[in-house]
Structure formats: structure tokens, C-alpha cells
Amino acid sequence: MGLFVSQIGGIVASAATTTPFGAQRFAKDHATYVITTKSDYYKSIWRSAIDAWNATGAFKFKTSSASKAQITLGIASKRESKKMGNDVGLTEFWARDNYFVSVNSLLNARLIKEYDYSRSDAIHVAEHELGHAMGLAHNPSTKSVMYYRNRAVGIQKVDINGVKARYQTPAGQTN
Ligand SMILES: [Zn+2]
């Protein structure tokens, strides 16, 4: 699950109790999003992942119009899918002074189908990409939704701790 534009995906820190985070974050612990895919299946995948994160209380994703959304959630076009190679998800972002201006997360529907991902597998990928969208980096532990090749694991306590820590730590600093 690659990252674009920044190095979040490459940071490896020991993180027994807290999933690592990158230097970037939103200004507040909430952000607006829009789901752009027309696929009912992938709309429901993104919504389930949003609901799962919102239920943790660590961050709030709020729905908005496309023109006002800070986060765009979709599925990869044919060309984007090719560019993603073997990655089932991708999050790219634009930041200023380490504050996210906009974030774009994609699911690679073609690969998700090809690899026979179950609905819950696909939701875990969406939860992982939303983790990046909030500023989380990869966790070297397989028992984290932010493990770089995660498929089977949903949001864990370490991941919730990571988001809380990200928003208790100023932009520009990592853990
Ligand atoms: Zn990733």
C-alpha cells in the first residue's frame, strides 16, 4: 500500500504501543471527505472504514460536498491501477508547512478482485489508507491495520493510540 509524494510509507520506528506517524497532519482532529466512486460496493467499503474510525473517537471524518472536501476517496482508474503495480491501496497528499491541504486515497479494485479479497479484507485496506489520510505511517508489527501489507487486521488499539498521539503532537514532529 504505497504512499505518494511523501516518505510516510518509508518510516520504520519501533512501536510497541503506538503506531508511528509522519510529520504531516490536519490542523484539527477532524476533516471533511467525499466518496467519488460510482460503485455501490466500494462506496460501502469506504463508508464502513469511515464508520470504524469515527467509532474510535480519535478522529472525525465528516461528509461534505466535493468542492469542500479535504479528503477524496475513490477507486483507481485503469491508468492509476497500472501505476499502483501490486499495491491494493494508495494515499497521496499535498501539504503546506506539514499541514495537509488535500488527501486522495484510492483502492485498486482490479487487484482486490484478482486477489479474491473478502469484503472485510477490502475494508481493512480502506482503514489502512484512511490511517495514512490522518497522518499515520506504517507499523512494522503485523498486529496493526498500518502493517504495510495488511489484509486481515482491522483497527487496533495501537492504531487508535497512534492517531491520538498524532493529534497531540505538533505538525512537523514524528513519534
Ligand atoms: Zn500504506
Side-chain angles (χ1 to χ4, degrees):
M1 300 162 205
L3 237 325
F4 216 54
V5 179
S6 103
Q7 310 180 30
I8 282 190
I11 293 166
V12 176
S14 78
T17 59
T18 306
T19 293
F21 53 79
Q24 293 82 16
R25 51 171 273 184
F26 279 104
K28 307 235 169 91
D29 60 358
H30 51 81
T32 54
Y33 74 92
V34 66
I35 298 173
T36 56
T37 176
K38 290 191 170 69
S39 155
D40 286 335
Y41 181 73
Y42 283 100
K43 269 184 206 167
S44 88
I45 296 292
W46 278 122
R47 282 199 196 111
S48 297
I50 292 271
D51 289 347
W53 272 117
N54 280 349
T56 70
F59 192 93
K60 191 84 177 166
F61 292 99
K62 299 172 185 175
T63 182
S64 86
S65 64
S67 61
K68 287 188 180 150
Q70 295 166 288
I71 303 169
T72 303
L73 307 171
I75 60 173
S77 66
K78 230 177 214 173
R79 183 201 288 190
E80 287 165 333
S81 173
K82 234 178 215 170
K83 240 172 47 186
M84 287 167 74
N86 288 320
D87 290 336
V88 289
L90 171 77
T91 295
E92 50 185 0
F93 66 79
W94 293 264
R96 184 172 298 140
D97 299 330
N98 288 312
Y99 286 108
F100 289 138
V101 176
S102 66
V103 178
N104 180 25
S105 294
L106 293 174
L107 296 176
N108 197 341
R110 180 184 59 82
L111 272 191
I112 284 171
K113 195 174 172 197
E114 195 178 310
Y115 293 164
D116 257 335
Y117 274 48
S118 67
R119 185 168 189 278
S120 77
D121 290 341
I123 291 169
H124 297 152
V125 177
E127 289 170 353
H128 176 107
E129 298 311 324
L130 290 174
H132 284 314
M134 292 180 286
L136 292 183
H138 286 151
N139 191 327
S141 165
T142 55
K143 293 188 184 83
S144 162
V145 78
M146 295 311 292
Y147 180 63
Y148 83 112
R149 295 187 67 178
N150 178 51
R151 171 170 174 169
V153 176
I155 299 163
Q156 303 296 303
K157 189 87 192 328
V158 286
D159 305 315
I160 299 167
N161 289 346
V163 174
K164 286 180 177 163
R166 168 81 270 2
Y167 285 87
Q168 285 160 6
T169 307
Q173 295 178 28
T174 61
N175 61 341

